[in-house]
Amino acid sequence: MATAEASLRIQLLGPVRAWRGGVEVALGPPKQRAVLALLACRAGDVVGVEDIADAVWGSVVPRTAANGVHTYVAGLRRVLDPYRGRRAASAVLGFQSGGYCLRVDPADVDATLFVRRLGEARKSRGEAPSEVTARLYEKALSLWQGEALYSVPGPFAVLERDRLRDLRLTAVEEWALDMLAAGRHAELVTELTGAVAEEPLREKLRWLLISALYRGGRQAHALQVYEQTRELLRRDLGIEPGADLRRLYQQILSGRPQPRSPGADTGPLPSTSRRPMLQGIPKPAQLPPLARGFVGRDSELGWLEGVVTGESSGGATTPVAVVDGPAGVGKSAFVLQLAHRLLDHFPDGQLYVDLRGTGPEGRTVSAVDALGQLLGSLGVDGARMPPGLAARAALYRSLLHGRKMLVVLDDAHSPHQLRPLIPRGSSCVLATSRQRFSGLAARDGAHLVTIGPLHEEESARLLTDLSGGRLRGQGPVTARLVAQCGGLPLALRIVAERLAANPGMPLDALIEPFAAERGRLDWLMVNGDAAASMRGAFDASYQALPADAARMFRHLGLHSGTFTEEIAAALAGTDRATARRLLSVLVANHLLEEGPDHLYRFHTLVGLYAAECAEHEPAARRQEALDRLSRLAPAQPPSRPAPADTPTTRCLAGVAH
């Protein structure tokens, strides 16, 4: 076990370094330090091997990444836990639940300690003299030894570096307000000049610098900085300085506030509510209406509401929550329910963009086009819209800086599409996707919530409430329909609408076609509305797959019941390692469910769709796949027979893959 004499201390606010028992240890190559930085940021939490690989390598993860992670962890154990026995478990860097956990007191990680000290300084504001509060801020800021995670590679380090940098600049702004209140203008100018050079588009820093210059008796210099600011904002963003800067400029021109001696009253300060008055920016209210008959999800809604409101209260960290799940499970309805619960916490408005990651329209909205929509909603004229992604993202973040805005991004295709749309500061982002964005959690600290089918009781209530009274007192029929829909709200709503739209047709005659597996997906659609079709929803998820994963999906459609990696490898004619990787892709895209002991199965309706897709494979290949499966020992569960080619199949397998 680690002892007090051999305690660890880790530095992230500068070059990544570590001390064991007061003696610095050599942390090895850059990627090994990247692994330590990630685990230190999540001290006490288990971080999965795949999440570590995403954090270190990003979107181009080599096939040897898992081995690389194990190698880097072994190297870290040698220096952080050098007296561990060869086969003994590490007391410092343990393995559990498919991931690694760094067992270190969070207070011994300087980045965590900085956040704690910053919280103490903020709590002191308004309760203690300005001098005392300023010293608490200085104690927090003194932990910084340079750029956070300096020279550490990998996408997680990039994002964490930016997050910590933004938090430090926010702390500098808050410290500067207390320094102004204490009349310590001359000391401020040097610090703020460096901060402004680091973040030239951050208007609050410039407000503070101009105020410090003017109140220190340097009026001409203060006006010069204002003119430089106005020119910079016009040239780079096409906007004028904000209301606070313009007001300060007018006060200086009119001789107010007068220069004061140290310790004197400092005149008006910008609002400490973190909601600067930004004139000319509209208050959008773009949330779509709530779905009628929403049921269930109480625990998930309550947990996410607590997480978001807790993070947003600090103002420096932007809460990001991504809700994922299979097609038709009700992700959008869930997020809109959550958004309406959060309206009072984000009073500056709500922005909404459908990113169409898997929509029936076919064309995914790029990040640059989505930013164009968002900026237009914030009052940016099309003629003054910056053309590129970076410029649009900078303007978007500048306009939302200090505002408590709710941003809802529906149907995201990838983390790369989502990242530029995340503002900094006190706003909140809620997103949905049919994929699980593990990299967004590892790199950006996003909260991921997977929602599954409704329980039987909830499904029955939704079906009964929306069917116009057709199912009241029809318990057995309701239970059968619920089972055939598999708890997917979209399927349940389509069935309920059919029942409500045909009040004169006998119930048995109406639902008879739905009982047959072969025609069930034909029944689960609304003519003329591609968004209300279970087959269309599955088509979109399938079309988003890589070619090799789509081929695996088609071969799995030949099999009934649960299956293992061995069965999947036999059906697809590949090795188990490849089968394992492709099964993981299907699980991440919610086209497959993984249960205990690595047993996989299809959702009821996805299985019907997979069987349709299997028919697109030539009959000879289907038979070859079944022959390979039959040669496995012991005997495997039954598979679907290889059907003859049919002209009626509606799977789009041949279109993309």
Side-chain angles (χ1 to χ4, degrees), residues 206-221:
R206 288 183 172 270
W207 189 102
L208 290 161
L209 175 58
I210 293 168
S211 296
L213 288 167
Y214 182 73
R215 290 170 186 170
R218 300 167 65 181
Q219 177 177 346
H221 195 177

Side-chain angles (χ1 to χ4, degrees), residues 111 115 132 202 216 290 299 418 583 585 615:
V115 173
V132 173
R202 198 163 174 127
L290 294 174
S299 60
L418 206 54
L583 291 172
V585 173
E615 295 178 9

Side-chain angles (χ1 to χ4, degrees), residues 352-359 363-367 369-371 373 408-414 417-418 421 431-432:
Y352 175 86
V353 178
D354 182 358
L355 296 174
R356 299 204 298 268
T358 54
R363 180 179 177 272
T364 299
V365 177
S366 67
D369 288 342
L371 284 167
Q373 292 184 39
V408 177
L409 304 169
D410 204 7
D411 196 18
H413 174 69
S414 69
Q417 181 193 32
L418 206 54
L421 312 182
T432 71

Side-chain angles (χ1 to χ4, degrees), residues 21 66 97 219 254 275 337 371 416 431 441 445 451 458 505 513 569 575 629 643 656:
S97 303
Q219 177 177 346
S254 62
R275 289 176 56 203
Q337 287 284 335
L371 284 167
H416 307 293
I451 59 174
E458 296 166 340
M505 183 179 293
D575 58 84
L629 182 61

Side-chain angles (χ1 to χ4, degrees), residues 319-610:
V320 179
V322 184
V323 177
D324 60 77
V329 82
K331 300 178 291 295
S332 299
F334 174 90
V335 161
L336 289 177
Q337 287 284 335
L338 176 61
H340 280 270
R341 287 190 180 200
L342 295 171
L343 289 181
D344 291 341
H345 296 280
F346 298 95
D348 290 328
Q350 313 97 45
L351 295 164
Y352 175 86
V353 178
D354 182 358
L355 296 174
R356 299 204 298 268
T358 54
E361 297 86 355
R363 180 179 177 272
T364 299
V365 177
S366 67
V368 70
D369 288 342
L371 284 167
Q373 292 184 39
L374 291 165
L375 291 172
S377 300
L378 293 170
V380 177
D381 185 81
R384 303 179 66 183
M385 187 76 67
L389 177 63
R392 288 189 179 187
L395 177 55
Y396 169 65
R397 289 169 178 155
S398 296
L399 291 177
L400 287 193
H401 182 68
R403 307 190 85 195
K404 295 183 75 68
M405 189 82 76
L406 192 60
V407 183
V408 177
L409 304 169
D410 204 7
D411 196 18
H413 174 69
S414 69
H416 307 293
Q417 181 193 32
L418 206 54
R419 283 192 179 100
L421 312 182
I422 300 174
R424 294 179 180 176
S426 50
S427 292
C428 169
V429 174
L430 305 178
T432 71
S433 177
R434 293 191 192 176
Q435 301 178 48
R436 185 167 179 83
F437 292 162
S438 298
L440 200 69
R443 290 176 53 183
D444 308 83
H447 301 281
L448 306 185
V449 177
T450 300
I451 59 174
L454 296 172
H455 300 304
E456 291 181 5
E457 181 180 340
E458 296 166 340
S459 298
R461 178 151 49 100
L462 176 62
L463 193 56
T464 302
D465 291 347
L466 298 183
S467 61
R470 295 297 307 273
L471 294 176
R472 300 200 187 282
Q474 299 287 339
V477 175
T478 302
R480 188 165 69 250
L481 290 173
V482 163
Q484 290 166 341
C485 289
L488 292 181
L490 177 58
L492 292 164
R493 288 176 178 276
I494 294 172
V495 171
E497 195 283 328
R498 278 187 177 263
L499 296 176
N502 296 277
M505 183 179 293
L507 192 59
D508 289 343
L510 183 60
I511 66 175
E512 181 181 359
F514 190 60
E517 288 189 354
R518 187 73 179 174
R520 191 174 303 165
L521 293 180
D522 291 326
W523 210 76
L524 287 173
M525 62 182 297
V526 176
N527 290 331
D529 190 347
S533 164
M534 288 308 308
R535 181 184 283 109
F538 296 147
D539 279 342
S541 293
Y542 171 79
Q543 290 295 307
L545 292 174
D548 52 357
R551 179 178 177 274
M552 172 65 81
F553 182 77
R554 296 194 296 274
H555 280 90
L556 295 179
L558 295 169
H559 186 73
S560 298
T562 60
F563 46 88
T564 62
E565 291 174 0
E566 188 178 16
I567 293 174
L571 284 168
T574 187
D575 58 84
R576 290 187 63 172
T578 301
R580 185 183 308 118
R581 177 179 63 83
L582 296 177
L583 291 172
S584 297
V585 173
L586 295 177
V587 169
N589 282 270
H590 295 291
L591 285 168
L592 195 62
E593 299 172 4
E594 182 178 7
D597 301 322
H598 301 291
L599 287 176
Y600 299 85
R601 71 179 184 93
F602 284 123
H603 178 276
T604 303
L605 297 180
V606 177
L608 299 181
Y609 177 77

